[in-house]
């Protein structure tokens, strides 16, 4: 006869059901696509703004009046500011550069306040950084990146400043390589860097004032450069096509249903990959807070789960609506090398702002634009770190997505439900899974500089024999902040079928035709074989 007394008693029915529930959840997690890894346990700062440079380094940038960070400046380097409410003598770093090869962090020195500022890479690969709060309101800064291990640092321009102070503005590089700086809190104008010869200073853009409401909702407008050279500018729930050359609105788009989508209501947006004859541009806007949540400081008002999709270049465009698996605010939309978009970070309730959101959304979602409506979203493997207000997401040259930041507090605060986050993580989409390694191409040879419309060859290696077309896609390096990646773009080149060549494969490509399709700059160039991207090679696209 068995001695049951020596065995633990069976769990009670409620306890059994709880165990079963968590077992099912853990099993489901294990079966969802994508993997997470912790890259750096302590970056020293919480990154509010993040950008990847052509030297495979990453610039992380916070605000300067945040008080002590967890990274010191080099000995003898301190910032002195008698107006700083926290530190009159500040020897802490508020910007760092991260080396992707070694995972090393080097402190950078930023002098003026970069809180809620904007940025964009110039044609020569220099990061232009504009505006901010307080003493940074009209500042223009540059970071000229260098090889990992170099001593490049921030330079604040002297004798030149913004015509209008800009806080919560958006930057976009234009076909001629100049940068347009759009909007900002209380600033319903645009201006250019460098200033245009025939237009000195700022120019009114009445559209921005027209869409402002009593909780603003016109900040960090979504700005996309269309392949016709005009700009698609979205703010609150409306959009226009803007002729920046003539300073005229040439088209008003229908309003997008579902409430406001820009800061502080915190949706996100991408322009889908440009391809074919490059005449068609499709814009997607997803998520956002319910109107009034910001005014009421409501942390538990459910976020929107709707997405609108519009063919911005159609003569009679309209929004196509669909729903994400989760309502989401402060989600970052990242264009992947394949043309899919990753939606990651954020919360399911509340709004943007300090202490203003709850219920973190840990599940990334893949948006597959080529699928039919209703089948475009795929839920991916969830992370464990809440990434709330002031978090970022950036595509890396190896195809992973770098996840940084999250500080929903006015200062650094680590003893909180959602603490200030100093960890750097990487999310690997399913295309990097081990079972697809034999499909992953490698770029063995590509020109370092490519001219518009130029024919050029790319040599690739692939472990398995090639079946079908290997795509060659240009991905920009955007400036990620506040749920929007400024200057983000993916361009799919015209290519011929690959031809075997001495153990490799030769692909004949045609460069983008002009700066409206791909503004002059440095791009990550990916070869994509059956949905699996190579490690990117940096190429300078020039006139």
């Amino acid at each position: 006869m068995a001695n049951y007394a020596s065995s633990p008693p069976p769990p009670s029915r409620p306890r059994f059901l709880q165990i079963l529930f968590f077992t099912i959840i853990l099993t489901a997690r294990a079966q969802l696509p994508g993997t997470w890894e912790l890259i750096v346990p302590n970056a020293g700062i919480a990154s509010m703004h993040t950008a990847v440079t052509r030297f495979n380094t990453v610039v992380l940038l916070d605000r300067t009046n945040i008080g002590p960070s967890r990274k010191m400046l080099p000995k003898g380097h301190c910032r002195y500011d008698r107006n700083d409410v926290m530190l009159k003598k500040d020897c802490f770093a508020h910007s760092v550069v991260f080396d992707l090869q070694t995972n090393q962090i080097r402190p950078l020195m930023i002098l003026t306040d970069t809180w809620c500022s904007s940025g964009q890479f110039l044609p020569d690969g220099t990061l232009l950084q504009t505006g901010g709060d307080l003493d940074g309101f009209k500042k223009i800064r540059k970071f000229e990146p260098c090889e990992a291990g170099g001593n490049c640092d921030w330079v604040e321009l002297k004798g030149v400043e913004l015509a209008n102070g800009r806080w919560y503005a958006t930057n976009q590089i234009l076909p001629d390589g100049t940068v347009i700086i759009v909007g900002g809190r209380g600033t319903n104008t645009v201006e250019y860097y460098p200033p245009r010869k025939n237009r000195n200073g700022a120019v009114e853009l009445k559209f921005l004032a027209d869409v402002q409401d009593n909780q603003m909702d016109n900040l960090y407008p979504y700005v996309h450069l269309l392949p016709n050279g005009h700009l698609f500018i979205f703010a609150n729930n409306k959009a226009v096509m803007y002729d920046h050359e003539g300073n005229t609105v040439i088209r008003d788009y229908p309003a997008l249903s579902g409430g406001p989508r820009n800061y502080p209501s915190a949706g996100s947006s991408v322009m889908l990959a440009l391809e074919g004859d490059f005449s068609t541009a499709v814009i997607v806007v997803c998520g956002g807070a319910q109107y009034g949540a910001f005014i009421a400081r409501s942390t538990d008002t459910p976020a929107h789960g709707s997405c609108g999709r519009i063919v911005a270049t159609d003569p009679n465009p309209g929004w196509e609506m669909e729903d994400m698996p989760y309502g989401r605010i402060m989600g970052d939309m990242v264009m992947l090398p394949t043309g899919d978009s990753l939606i990651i970070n954020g919360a399911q309730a509340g709004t943007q702002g300090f202490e203003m959101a709850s219920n973190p959304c840990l599940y990334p979602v893949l948006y597959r634009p080529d699928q039919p409506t209703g089948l475009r979203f795929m839920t991916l493997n969830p992370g464990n770190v809440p990434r709330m207000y002031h978090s970022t997401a950036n595509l890396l040259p190896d195809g992973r997505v770098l996840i940084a930041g999250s500080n929903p507090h006015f200062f650094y605060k680590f003893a909180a439900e959602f603490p200030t986050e100093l960890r750097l993580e990487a999310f690997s989409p399913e295309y990097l899974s081990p079972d697809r390694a034999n499909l992953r191409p490698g770029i063995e040879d590509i020109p370092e500089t490519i001219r518009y419309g130029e024919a050029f060859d790319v040599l690739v290696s692939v472990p398995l024999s090639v079946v079908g077309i290997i795509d060659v896609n240009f991905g920009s390096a955007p400036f990620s902040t506040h749920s929007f990646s400024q200057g983000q773009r993916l361009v799919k080149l015209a290519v011929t079928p690959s031809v075997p060549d001495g153990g490799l494969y030769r692909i004949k490509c045609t460069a983008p035709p002009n700066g409206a399709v791909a503004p002059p700059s440095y791009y990550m160039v990916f070869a994509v074989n059956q949905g699996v991207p190579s490690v990117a090679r940096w190429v300078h696209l020039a006139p």
Side-chain angles (χ1 to χ4, degrees), residues 21-326:
F21 172 77
F22 282 111
T23 300
I24 293 172
I25 291 296
L26 290 173
T27 302
R29 281 191 174 200
Q31 294 174 346
L32 291 174
T35 58
W36 289 84
E37 61 181 307
L38 176 65
I39 302 177
V40 175
N42 182 358
I45 71 167
S47 190
M48 185 184 297
H49 320 285
T50 309
V52 180
T53 83
R54 63 189 178 95
F55 292 103
N56 294 327
T57 59
V58 184
V59 178
L60 310 177
L61 181 62
D62 201 356
R63 50 182 252 245
T64 56
N65 61 352
I66 199 75
S69 69
R70 294 301 183 267
K71 190 74 172 177
M72 300 297 295
L73 290 166
K75 188 175 181 179
H77 292 71
C78 296
R79 183 179 63 91
Y80 297 89
D81 184 356
R82 63 184 181 182
N83 296 316
D84 194 313
V85 297
M86 290 292 290
L87 295 170
K88 312 301 181 187
K89 177 185 177 182
D90 186 358
C91 303
F92 294 90
H94 303 291
S95 181
V96 299
V97 62
F98 166 50
D99 180 358
L100 291 168
Q101 293 299 114
T102 65
N103 290 348
Q104 295 299 303
I105 301 282
R106 179 170 66 86
L108 302 175
M109 189 165 187
I110 194 89
L111 295 176
T112 55
D113 190 23
T114 51
W115 182 11
C116 300
S117 51
S118 52
Q120 190 80 161
F121 281 102
L122 298 173
D124 67 355
T126 297
L127 180 60
L128 177 75
Q129 219 278 326
T130 51
D133 192 23
L134 302 174
D135 61 355
F137 195 41
K138 300 184 81 170
K139 289 293 183 180
I140 301 174
R141 313 165 193 90
K142 286 185 176 181
F143 180 80
E144 186 175 343
C146 55
E147 294 279 1
N151 294 314
C152 47
D153 209 334
W154 287 103
V155 174
E156 308 227 1
L157 302 191
K158 300 182 185 302
V160 59
E161 63 179 16
L162 295 171
N164 288 160
R166 297 195 184 268
W167 196 23
Y168 302 90
T170 300
N171 294 6
Q172 169 65 53
I173 189 170
L174 297 173
D176 65 356
T178 62
V179 171
I180 187 170
I181 308 162
V182 181
R185 185 169 181 169
T187 310
N188 298 316
T189 63
V190 304
E191 62 181 286
Y192 300 87
Y193 180 87
R196 290 187 168 177
K197 294 179 181 178
N198 62 343
R199 189 175 300 149
N200 188 24
V203 178
E204 182 186 14
L205 179 55
K206 187 173 180 295
F207 164 74
L208 294 173
D210 291 343
V211 295
Q212 182 174 321
D213 57 30
N214 61 351
Q215 59 176 22
M216 294 167 290
D217 282 320
N218 68 343
L219 304 182
Y220 278 127
Y222 305 144
V223 181
H224 300 286
L225 174 64
L226 301 176
N228 60 14
H230 301 314
L231 295 172
F232 180 94
I233 302 178
F234 184 101
N236 197 325
N237 65 344
K238 295 179 181 177
V240 294
M241 184 186 291
Y242 177 65
D243 175 4
H244 57 88
E245 294 287 354
N247 185 36
T248 56
V249 170
I250 57 179
R251 173 179 292 172
D252 290 289
Y253 292 95
L256 174 60
S257 63
R261 308 284 181 153
N262 295 78
Y263 187 95
S265 293
S268 191
S269 177
V270 292
M271 181 172 69
L272 299 182
L274 299 175
E275 56 187 321
D277 65 0
F278 306 116
S279 63
T280 301
V282 181
I283 310 296
V284 179
V285 178
C286 288
Q290 292 190 33
Y291 172 77
F294 182 77
I295 296 173
R297 298 190 60 82
S298 170
T299 62
D300 57 3
T301 301
H304 291 300
S306 65
C307 288
R309 172 169 163 161
I310 193 167
V311 182
T313 47
D314 265 9
N316 188 28
W319 291 98
E320 176 188 17
M321 302 302 297
E322 52 195 326
D323 289 320
M324 296 185 289
Y326 305 93

Side-chain angles (χ1 to χ4, degrees), residues 345-492:
N345 297 336
Q348 297 180 70
T351 184
Q352 234 164 1
F354 295 118
E355 320 285 351
M356 293 279 278
S358 65
N359 193 9
C361 195
L362 299 175
Y363 284 86
V365 171
L366 189 68
Y367 178 76
R368 302 169 295 176
D370 295 336
Q371 296 298 313
T373 305
L375 299 176
R376 290 178 178 147
F377 294 102
M378 175 188 289
T379 300
L380 306 178
N381 188 28
N384 297 311
V385 179
R387 300 283 182 173
M388 309 281 274
Y389 189 40
H390 290 151
S391 57
T392 61
N394 294 76
L395 177 66
L396 296 177
D398 62 9
R400 297 177 300 166
V401 176
L402 179 71
I403 309 299
S406 185
N407 185 19
H409 317 290
F410 194 84
F411 300 116
Y412 282 14
K413 186 176 182 181
F414 298 99
E417 182 181 8
F418 306 119
T420 302
E421 189 54 63
L422 305 182
R423 285 174 285 185
L424 301 182
E425 296 181 287
F427 179 78
S428 294
E430 188 178 19
Y431 55 55
L432 294 179
S433 60
D435 63 334
R436 301 192 182 190
N438 284 339
L439 297 174
R440 192 170 200 192
I443 297 179
E444 305 299 334
D445 188 60
I446 188 173
E448 292 183 357
T449 299
I450 295 172
R451 308 291 176 183
Y452 288 119
E454 181 178 49
F456 65 97
D457 290 356
V458 177
L459 282 174
V460 303
S461 59
V462 184
L464 293 181
S465 298
V466 171
V467 178
I469 298 290
I470 297 179
D471 294 320
V472 177
N473 300 339
F474 276 42
S476 69
F479 181 86
S480 172
T481 188
H482 290 76
S483 311
F484 182 64
S485 288
Q486 301 179 14
Q488 182 170 227
R489 133 189 250 101
L490 185 74
V491 180
K492 296 186 174 184

